[in-house]
Every structure is written in structure tokens, then in C-alpha cells.
Amino acid sequence: IEDEEKWLAEGIAGIQHNAFYLHRALDSDNLREALKYSALLLSELRTSRLSPHKYYVLYMRAFDELRRLEMFFRDEDRHGCSVGDLYELVQHAGNVLPRLYLLCTVGSVYIKSKETSAKDVLKDLVEMCRAIQHPVRGLFLRNYLAQVSRDKLPDIGSEYEGEGDTVMDAVEFVLQNFVEMNKLWVRMQLQGPLVDKEKLEKERSELRDLVGKNLHVISQIEGVDLDIYRDTVLPRIVNCKDELAQYYLVDCIIQVFPDEYHLQTLETLLGACPQLQPTVDLKTVFSQLMERLSNYASCNPELLPEFLHVEAFSKLSGAIGKVIETQVDMPIVGAITLYVSLLSFTLRVHPDRLDYVDQVLGACVKKLSGKPKSEVSKATKQVVALLSAPLDQYDDIVTALTLSNYPRVMDHLDSGTNKVMAMVIIRSIMKNKTCVSTSDKVEVLFELIKGLIKDLDGTSTDELDEDDFKEEQCSVACLVHMLYNDDPEEMLKIIHVVWRHVMAGGPRRLPFTVPPLVFSALKLVRRLQSEDGDVAGEEFPATPRKIFLLLTQIIEALSTVPAPELALRLYLDCAEAANDRDLEAVSYELFTQAFVLYEEEIVDSKAQVIALHLIIGTLQRMHVFGVENRDTLTHKATGYSAKLLKKPDQCRAVYACSHLFWADDHDGVKDGERALLCLKRSLRIANAAQQMASATRGISGPVTLFVEILNKYIYFFEKGNPQITPSVIQGLVELIKTELQTDGTTATTSSDAFFSSTLRYIEFQKQKGGVIGEKYDPIKL
């Protein structure tokens, strides 16, 4: 590196030294001196010791001086010599490289003078430059030729067109210069020992833009139409066997020429791809080509028929398939990447052609089939991209469900990635609020997300992170609510499909998936118009009785978990729904199942309290039961209330049972005497609890119980229960006051505040006057 810096410095110094004398010669209009020092200056470019990057620095120094020299040549009067004579004169320079640089400079002026035809000068120059066969020196020389001639080509509308000079002459000149530059560029890999191959490849890469500029020049020629591009330009460009050159040149073609040309010459361009070297990065080439064509179609929707006319999809699909078949050593990652690009192209250009989309997925399945999982796992990212593309395009999973090959691609994912993709599908459904409305589509959907609803590849749910597992199952639960059809029979089929898949997931998943399925079925029950009776010809007759039979089976599955508290809640929800449909027998059976769970499965005292209050609250809202069934269930509820472990729990459960005998919204359930009996019984339990508390001292719970019971008395008093009189309330108020004042009883702030608030309420009612005031007036506080 130090030597190269020294050589570069020496070369720059030589250019500066000769440039000084050149400037003096130009200022004094001394042509011979100018040519002499120009040749000496350009001799510095004969060096072979610099890398391409350093040589470029030296070249630019010389280029600046050549610009000034060219301006001098343009002024014929100053040097007293015609441009034609000057063109002959510079050919007598001693060294070939300086001679050719000077020849190109004078040639540029010669063309501009129009003393001769442009095509003759250009042809002469491009042929003369063959004398330099050193790759680096030759590339920069021809680059200089391209620079000075680009605005002097006989293009259509150009001042240099005419008298035999045509656009084909311009094209031929640029192509010939390009071909020779490409040969020099390819030859660079042979300039040095094989051990420096990596260095040589890097140096070649640094010079590739010099070659590519020719293609940019051709693309800027106005006269190059589609026919010239197809018949003359394209065949000459792609005719190269070097690996690095192949990739770069095809990439240049895609980038610099119009999209319209690519579309019309697609077959020719794609036909060359299978002949490229196996190491050429074809996936990038195809991706860039399809990206440009996709953008072209998006910006010009009116051209979509043209894409169909030229059969763009078929040609791209066939070319990709041929490349994959030809390059047998292509990694699976590369092949799937090609299919991802093809699918993206298809979704953007032909979004309505689902057959095209399914064809791409089918080709991917064919490529993945038979491959070991270890190899397929390397392409996981690409497979996920392939599966995600239809979801992003259509914003509707229902469309993806119609693709027969979509689930077949998912089958090739490993268990972990299958779950990730399943979550992507569910999020897409939730984000777009997509409703899946047929049992067939639900079947396909649950097949796609089977990684979430059952164990795959022998994995166990015990191995999963608890938070991740809950998130997955909650997502599945949300998904169930997106399955809907207005037709009851079809909706019932959907429920059966979901139930079948849910049952395959094992007991650990059931607490997450059973509740949404139950509520989905209950929504169906409430929508049904007919109350009972089978529907002829239906595999799943959607009648309330049939649905409740299915619900019983679904909830029973929770016994395998076990989850008795959840099952009890669901039985009660179903019982209330049966009550709304006036199905007494069904509702009674569901309550019976709830009581069986309470008796046999729920053993924790806190869970028993919660469960019993749920039973009492649900039973209170029932209106479907006859006297006998209601008495049976009410008797069970009150009996269980008195058997709770703790006295305070017993007390609260018993006074809650009073509502079972006096339902304000149910005219047939207003038994004031039995309601009062429950309140008295709860009062006795509270008194017993108070005595137990006295033994332990300092416990104020029973006082709070008395206040709670007082509020129940007031409630029934206002509702018109004749058994609740002012004297009864008055006596209970006095009792509480006595208890609060009794030595050894410590009232908590909350219980004292509760009682004070109750007394203020009674006082407020008394002050209202009218019927309410008269009712409360006998109560003395």
C-alpha cells in the first residue's frame, strides 16, 4: 500500500510537471509544443503498478488536462491547422497509449467540425483502440472514448445525422466499444497469480461501471426503438460466458432499458437465463426483473391486457422452473426465493387470477416434497414469506382458503414455524375482521392452524412457555368468534367442525377453547325461530334441543381437565339460555349437572361460596320452572347454603336465597313468608357467628353481617313483602346498636360506616313524605 501511494504520487507529479509546460504552449499557441507535452503527460497513464482505484485518480488528473487541450483544438485559427490535418498529425506520437488518447480528443473535435462523416471517425477510433490490450489501461481508454463521443453520435434528431450517418451507426459504435470493453474486463481475471483471485475479483468489480456506461448510452439513444433493441442490442449484450460479467450485464439490461422493452422481449431475455453460469445469482436477477414489471403494471393498469397477451406469467413461471431444473445444485433457499418473487409478481399484476397463485404454491410444494426437514428448515424464512404474501395482498383469509396448495405448503414447516404462521393467519383475520362463513372453509382454516390446536411432531404442551401457550390459545378463542353464518344449519355445521378439531387438542387447551365455542352455540340458539323438531334432510338439524344436547357434551369434556368451576359457569349460562327459549326440561337438566359438579367436584371452600352464589343468582332469574321443579332446585340451593364451612359464608348465602322466594320481576314467585324465613335463619347464623367471635375477641365480622341482613329487610320492605313490618326493622336496628355498644365487641370503621349509611337512608326515606314517608314513619331511629 505504501509503494502504491508513492507510485501514485510520482504519477501525479509527472502530470503536473508536464501540464505546466502544456499550459505555456497553449497560451503561446505553439501546437507542436502542446502535442509534445500532452504526450509526455499522458505517458504517466502507461503504468501497470496501480490498482484500478488508484489508477482512476491518475486518469482523472489527465482527463482534466485533455478537456483543456480539446478546447484548444476547437479553435482552428489559433494553431493554423485544419482538424483533418491535426487528426493525421497526432497519429505520429511515439507511444501508442498517448497517441490514442490524443486521437480520441482530436476525433471528438473532428466530428464536431463536420469535415467528415461521424460514422467514419467513430469507426476509426473504436478500431484504433484495439491496440491497447492491457485490461485496466484499455478500459479507461475506451471509457474516455465513450465520454468524448456520447454527444456526437448520429442519433435521430442529432446534428450529426444525415448523409449516410444513421442511428444504426451510433448503435454499432457503442456496441462495438462495449464488446471490446467487456473482453478487457473479463480478461482482468487472468492478470495475476491465482492466489490473488479474491483481490482480482474485487478489482474487476470496481471497474464494472465503466462497462455498464455503454449500456446507459445505448438506452439514451432516441433512435433505439423496440425492434433495434430486440434484434440488435439484446443479442449482443447477453452473449458473454463470464460469471461476473453475466450477472452484471443482465442486471444492467434490467435497470437501464425501458419496462416496455422488457415486456416485449421477455422470451428472449428469459431464454438466456438457463444458459448462465450456475453460480450467477439468478434469484436476484429474476426478482429485479419481476419487481420492475410489477411496478410497470401498477403504474399503468391499462397495460394489464398486454401482460396477458405476451403471457408474462407463463413465461416467467416456465423460465424459473427451467432454471431450477437445470441448476440441480441450487440450494432450496434459492429456489423458494424465486417462487416468492414470482408469487409477488403474480399478486400485483394478476391479483384476480387465483389459479396462477395456486400454481406457484403447487410448484413450491413439488420442490419441497421429498426434501429432508433439515434442508427445508434452512428455507423457513422464505416459505413464511411465500405464505404471508396472499394474506398481505387480499386482506382476506377466505381468499387464501380457496387455494388448494396453501395448506400443503404449510405442512412443510416445522412445528415452531407452523405456529408462527398460524398466529399470522389469526392476526390477519382479527385485523381485517374477516368472517369465515362455511364449514368447508372452517375445515381448511383449522387445518392451517393445527399447530395451535394440537401437538405436532410429538411435541408436548408441557414443554411450552406458559405465557406463550396462553397467548396462542387466547388467539384461537378469539378466532372462534369470527366464524359465523346467517344460516342456522350451516352455523351448526361450523360448530361441529370446530368441536371436532378442539377435541383433538388435548385437555390442557379445553379451558381456552370450550367457552367461546359454547357462547357461539348459545348465540345460535337465541337466533333460532323454531323451538324444536328435526329439520328434514339436514345432517345437523339446527333446533334448540339438539344444540343443547351438543352443548352438554362439549361442557362434559371439561371433566378431563378437570375444570369444574368453569364447567359449572357454562352449565348455568346454558340453563339461562334454555330458560329464554322456554325449555324447562333442558334447563332443569343443566341445573342438575351444575349441582352434581358442586357436590362432587368443587371442594375448595372459597370456590364453593362463589359457585353457590352463581347458582342462586341464575336460579333467581329463571321463569321457566314449574312449582315442583323450582321448589326442588330452591331447596337444594338453601340446603347447600346452610352447609358452607364458615358461618359468615353461610349467613350471606342464606339471605341471598331469600330472593329465590320473592322475585320482583316474576309474579308467580312472591312468597313473603319463606323469604322472611330465610332472613330469620341468616340472622340466627349471624348471632351464632357473633358468639363464636366473642370467644375469640376482637372480631367484628358478625356486626357487619347484622347490617347486611338489615339492608335485606329494607329491600323486601320496599318491595311490599307483607311479612316485613316497620317493627321488625326497628327491632333489628336496636339489636345492632346494642351489639355495637356491648363490651368486648370492637366495631370496625367500615361496619360502623355501613350502619350509619343505612340509618341515613332510612331517615332520607322518612323525609320524602307521601306514601314512602308514611311507610317509613313508624321506624324510630
Side-chain angles (χ1 to χ4, degrees), residues 144 146 257 261 298 331 466 549 600 755:
Y144 179 71
F257 288 102
Y261 290 7
S298 299
E466 186 66 25
L549 180 61
E600 299 179 356
F755 181 57

Side-chain angles (χ1 to χ4, degrees), residues 113-132:
S113 70
K114 300 182 182 178
E115 293 182 10
T116 186
S117 66
K119 71 173 183 179
D120 290 338
V121 177
L122 293 173
K123 183 177 180 181
D124 189 42
L125 291 175
V126 78
E127 290 291 341
M128 288 282 196
C129 288
R130 288 177 181 267
I132 305 300

Side-chain angles (χ1 to χ4, degrees), residues 12-174:
I12 293 175
I15 290 176
Q16 290 175 337
H17 173 76
N18 290 293
F20 172 77
Y21 293 102
L22 171 63
H23 295 166
R24 289 178 58 180
L26 296 177
D27 293 339
S28 61
D29 293 336
N30 190 329
L31 177 60
R32 288 191 174 278
E33 287 295 307
L35 292 177
K36 171 185 174 183
Y37 287 108
S38 297
L40 291 173
L41 179 151
L42 291 168
S43 294
E44 298 294 338
L45 295 178
R46 297 170 61 199
T47 180
S48 301
R49 298 183 295 184
L50 299 178
S51 65
H53 178 71
K54 300 296 184 183
Y55 190 89
Y56 174 76
V57 177
L58 197 65
Y59 165 81
M60 289 307 298
R61 291 296 186 100
F63 181 84
D64 293 339
E65 301 303 330
L66 288 173
R67 294 287 87 190
R68 184 166 181 173
L69 183 63
E70 181 183 356
M71 294 174 63
F72 173 76
F73 288 155
R74 287 181 184 177
D75 190 351
E76 298 181 24
D77 296 335
R78 291 183 63 187
H79 51 67
C81 180
S82 70
V83 181
D85 294 339
L86 184 59
Y87 189 70
E88 295 292 334
L89 180 61
V90 297
Q91 296 187 43
H92 295 287
N95 291 312
V96 66
L97 186 64
R99 180 196 314 157
L100 291 174
Y101 271 104
L102 290 173
L103 193 63
C104 291
T105 306
V106 177
S108 170
V109 179
Y110 198 14
I111 296 173
K112 194 169 183 64
S113 70
K114 300 182 182 178
E115 293 182 10
T116 186
S117 66
K119 71 173 183 179
D120 290 338
V121 177
L122 293 173
K123 183 177 180 181
D124 189 42
L125 291 175
V126 78
E127 290 291 341
M128 288 282 196
C129 288
R130 288 177 181 267
I132 305 300
Q133 291 297 303
H134 185 278
V136 176
R137 295 197 293 265
L139 279 171
F140 278 96
L141 172 64
R142 288 188 174 274
N143 178 67
Y144 179 71
L145 173 60
Q147 290 275 84
V148 298
S149 63
R150 65 183 304 170
D151 59 342
K152 302 173 183 66
L153 300 175
D155 191 9
I156 291 179
S158 167
E159 60 179 301
Y160 307 105
E161 182 190 21
E163 297 183 3
D165 290 5
T166 66
V167 68
M168 287 305 298
D169 295 320
V171 171
E172 184 60 33
F173 165 73
V174 179

